[in-house]
């Protein structure tokens, strides 16, 4: 958990509803730049050209040319009394949550508890920003600005208010497409190419911070491809142009008046700008907007693999030479990758001609590829590069199927199990009926060795291996009995290996690779 939260707020909310925010894991590793290098040696710095050193003389013409296309978004949500009242909010899962809510509800109603009384309703308003991309009335904003709202109103710079229809929205990249019906063509702006933006380029943000419509702030691109752990496709533009709650959904412009990002989040201890804001790049949102306008929903490509990052120890175990690619930790049995011959343990290093430098590159490339397209995927398997041709499926179809396969059965865990082997700071047991019941191991895991215990000060504990998980392979060789563990470890020692690469499955069947040093 970082020191400061990342805020995804749309602005002020009525009825005491707090603005939305999400924590950014390790968010304030960004602060390291404030403390490192302060006492380092001094090197001569070439003088910047005078024109660049002082920045633009004025941004007035640019601001004037785009401001009329930027709008305020007012979203109204109707809530019943349970959510709209001043009842203290309990942590989810608190045993007496319902009792406390019932007590405060009765107290606020003067003890009136008629069974036939309908819950009172209250309205909550949120304020955000947006911008027109089509004179006919197409408007873009963040999904979180209008999510769960019953009514959306667009307010223009001349005071005109128009009701908006939600054409489509996507929570994964936090974008929504609205439609209004104007009396005359609207002032519109166009998207630019965010891939051409460089760190240090000037930008301006226009929006509705704290309900103050038509506000313009200026700054530079501070960084690109930022990952703040807000979703699967993070690659934000970071800017020091002031972005506050209420700017969400507004445009970030380049000096040509083109939208190169949608202002989405800020890193802040208080909810106000400290010069670290994030905008979703146009290169990410434009394909999604096109899909939402055409279909009313997204249609992302699907490869059918579960991947994990590669660190130095895993790269060494797999003889990759250097850290690169995305490690396949599992495949969907009926997915496109498995059908094409991609296997667990393969490392994907290139997708449709694009290099995969790190694992988070792959989901963005796959999602942006057309459904049904046949692509070449280059993998490394046991040190050899192979090319597989994969016909992509549709991610949304797989998500719908997965939601129907969830089982809520709770097995009896009372049957004991006995550990029969120890190695690498772990105790191991056979995968049998007793261990399945004890650790709730799914039937889909058909072979392997169960981790019955983990020493708290062992490397296995540091890598978060838990009792109940199942070791499926060691250095890509399957294991089926606890005695196999000792045999594999001895073979690795005899071969002079320093690391053992374990394929580990959770009791629910999620697989991952873990590299452990051989004592």
């Amino acid at each position: 958990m970082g020191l400061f939260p990342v805020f995804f707020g749309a602005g002020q909310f009525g009825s005491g509803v707090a603005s939305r925010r999400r924590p950014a894991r390790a968010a304030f590793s960004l602060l390291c730049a404030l403390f490192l290098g302060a006492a380092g040696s001094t090197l001569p710095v070439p003088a910047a050209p005078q024109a660049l050193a002082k920045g633009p003389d004025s941004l007035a013409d640019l601001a004037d040319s785009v401001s009329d296309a930027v709008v305020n978004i007012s979203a109204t949500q109707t809530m019943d009394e349970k959510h709209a009242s001043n009842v203290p909010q309990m942590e989810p899962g608190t045993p007496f949550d319902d009792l406390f809510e019932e007590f405060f509800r009765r107290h606020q109603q003067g003890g009136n508890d008629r069974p036939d009384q309908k819950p009172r309703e209250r309205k909550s308003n949120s304020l955000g920003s947006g911008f027109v991309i089509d004179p006919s009335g197409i408007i873009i904003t963040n999904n979180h600005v209008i999510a769960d709202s019953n009514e959306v109103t667009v307010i223009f710079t001349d005071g005109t208010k128009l009701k908006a229809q939600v054409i489509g929205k996507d929570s994964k990249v936090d974008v929504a497409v609205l439609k209004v019906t104007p009396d005359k063509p609207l002032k519109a702006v166009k998207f630019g190419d965010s891939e051409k933006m460089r760190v240090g380029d000037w930008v301006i943000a226009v929006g509705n911070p704290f309900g103050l419509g038509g506000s313009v702030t200026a700054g530079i691109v501070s960084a690109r491809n930022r990952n703040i752990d807000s979703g699967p496709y993070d690659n934000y533009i970071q800017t020091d142009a002031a972005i506050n709650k209420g700017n969400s959904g507004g445009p970030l412009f380049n000096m040509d008046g083109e939208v190169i990002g949608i202002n989405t989040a800020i890193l802040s201890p208080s909810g106000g700008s400290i010069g670290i804001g994030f905008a979703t790049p146009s290169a990410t949102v434009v394909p999604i907007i096109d899909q939402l306008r055409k279909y009313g929903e997204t249609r992302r490509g699907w490869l059918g693999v579960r991947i994990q990052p590669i660190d130095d120890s895993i790269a060494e175990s797999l003889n990759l030479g250097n850290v690169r690619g995305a490690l396949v930790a599992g495949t969907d049995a009926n997915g496109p990758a498995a059908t094409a011959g991609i296997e667990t343990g393969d490392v994907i290093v290139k997708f449709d001609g694009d290099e995969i430098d790190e694992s988070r590159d792959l989901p963005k490339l796959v999602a942006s590829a057309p459904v049904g397209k046949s692509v070449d995927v280059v993998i490394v398997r046991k040190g050899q590069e192979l090319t597989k041709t994969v016909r992509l499926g549709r991610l949304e179809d797989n998500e719908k199927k997965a939601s129907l396969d969830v089982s809520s059965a709770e097995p009896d865990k009372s049957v004991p199990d006995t550990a029969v082997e120890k190695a690498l700071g772990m105790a191991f047991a056979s995968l049998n009926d007793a261990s399945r019941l004890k650790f709730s191991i799914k039937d889909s895991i058909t072979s392997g060795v169960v981790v019955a215990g983990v020493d708290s000060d062992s490397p296995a504990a540091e890598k978060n291996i838990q009792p109940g998980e199942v070791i499926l392979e060691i250095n890509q060789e399957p294991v089926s009995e606890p005695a196999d563990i000792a045999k594999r470890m001895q073979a690795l020692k005899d071969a002079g290996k320093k690391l053992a690469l374990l394929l580990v499955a959770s009791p629910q069947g999620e697989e991952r690779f873990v590299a452990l040093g051989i004592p």
Side-chain angles (χ1 to χ4, degrees), residues 27 59 64 85 150 319 486 492:
L59 297 171
D64 186 61
S85 68
N150 306 102
N319 298 318
L492 292 175

Side-chain angles (χ1 to χ4, degrees), residues 21 27 35 45 58 76 94-95 101 129 150 198 215 335 346 439 449:
R21 60 184 178 180
F35 301 101
V45 179
S58 174
T76 302
T94 302
E101 287 181 345
S129 305
N150 306 102
R198 302 167 60 204
S215 294
D346 291 342
F439 296 112
V449 178

Side-chain angles (χ1 to χ4, degrees), residues 186-199:
L186 301 174
K187 169 70 176 179
V189 289
K190 64 179 182 178
F191 282 103
D193 187 355
S194 59
E195 294 299 300
K196 293 181 179 179
M197 299 301 294
R198 302 167 60 204
V199 173

Side-chain angles (χ1 to χ4, degrees), residues 115-137:
D116 59 343
Q117 183 177 9
K118 294 182 179 180
R120 290 184 299 173
E121 291 185 343
R122 294 186 184 180
K123 290 186 176 181
S124 172
N125 295 317
S126 66
L127 297 177
S129 305
F131 54 98
V132 181
I133 63 167
D134 189 313
S136 67

Side-chain angles (χ1 to χ4, degrees), residues 137-369:
I138 301 297
I139 295 168
I140 304 302
T141 188
N142 280 142
N143 173 67
H144 76 255
V145 171
I146 56 91
D148 302 322
S149 60
N150 306 102
E151 185 178 282
V152 179
T153 302
V154 177
I155 307 169
F156 294 84
T157 53
D158 62 0
T160 301
K161 297 182 179 180
L162 296 176
K163 299 295 182 185
Q165 173 190 0
V166 179
I167 299 298
K169 56 186 179 180
D170 177 50
S171 61
K172 289 186 173 66
V173 298
D174 201 359
V175 65
V177 179
L178 310 179
K179 176 73 169 70
V180 298
T181 305
D183 294 331
K184 58 183 179 180
L186 301 174
K187 169 70 176 179
V189 289
K190 64 179 182 178
F191 282 103
D193 187 355
S194 59
E195 294 299 300
K196 293 181 179 179
M197 299 301 294
R198 302 167 60 204
V199 173
D201 281 345
W202 285 92
V203 290
I204 67 169
V206 186
N208 182 34
F210 299 106
L212 303 172
S215 294
V216 179
T217 57
I220 63 169
V221 173
S222 304
R224 297 184 60 221
N225 301 314
R226 281 292 191 216
N227 178 16
I228 61 174
D229 292 320
S230 67
Y233 311 120
D234 278 15
N235 65 335
Y236 289 101
I237 296 171
Q238 181 184 325
T239 180
D240 65 350
I243 298 173
N244 289 284
K245 289 186 289 185
N247 275 110
S248 290
L252 188 69
F253 290 103
N254 62 18
M255 292 296 100
D256 293 325
E258 299 170 327
V259 179
I260 51 89
I262 301 176
N263 301 319
T264 301
I266 60 175
L267 189 64
S268 171
S270 62
S273 174
I274 60 169
I276 304 178
F278 302 99
T280 309
S282 59
T284 298
V285 297
V286 167
I288 300 301
I289 290 170
D290 291 342
Q291 291 178 13
L292 294 176
R293 293 184 67 178
K294 186 175 182 179
Y295 306 113
E297 61 183 0
T298 56
R299 298 188 177 183
R300 291 185 171 92
W302 176 55
L303 189 57
V305 296
R306 295 185 301 278
I307 60 172
Q308 71 176 79
I310 295 175
D311 57 21
D312 291 331
S313 57
I314 291 178
E316 182 181 347
S317 300
L318 294 172
N319 298 318
L320 282 178
N322 60 297
V323 176
R324 59 183 175 132
L327 177 59
V328 178
T331 62
D332 187 290
N334 299 312
T339 302
I342 295 176
E343 302 173 356
T344 299
D346 291 342
V347 178
I348 298 175
V349 295
K350 187 179 289 187
F351 177 86
D352 200 19
D354 291 312
E355 298 286 344
I356 308 298
D357 295 322
E358 52 184 322
S359 61
R360 72 187 187 97
D361 295 337
L362 183 62
K364 291 180 287 189
L365 291 171
V366 175
S368 62

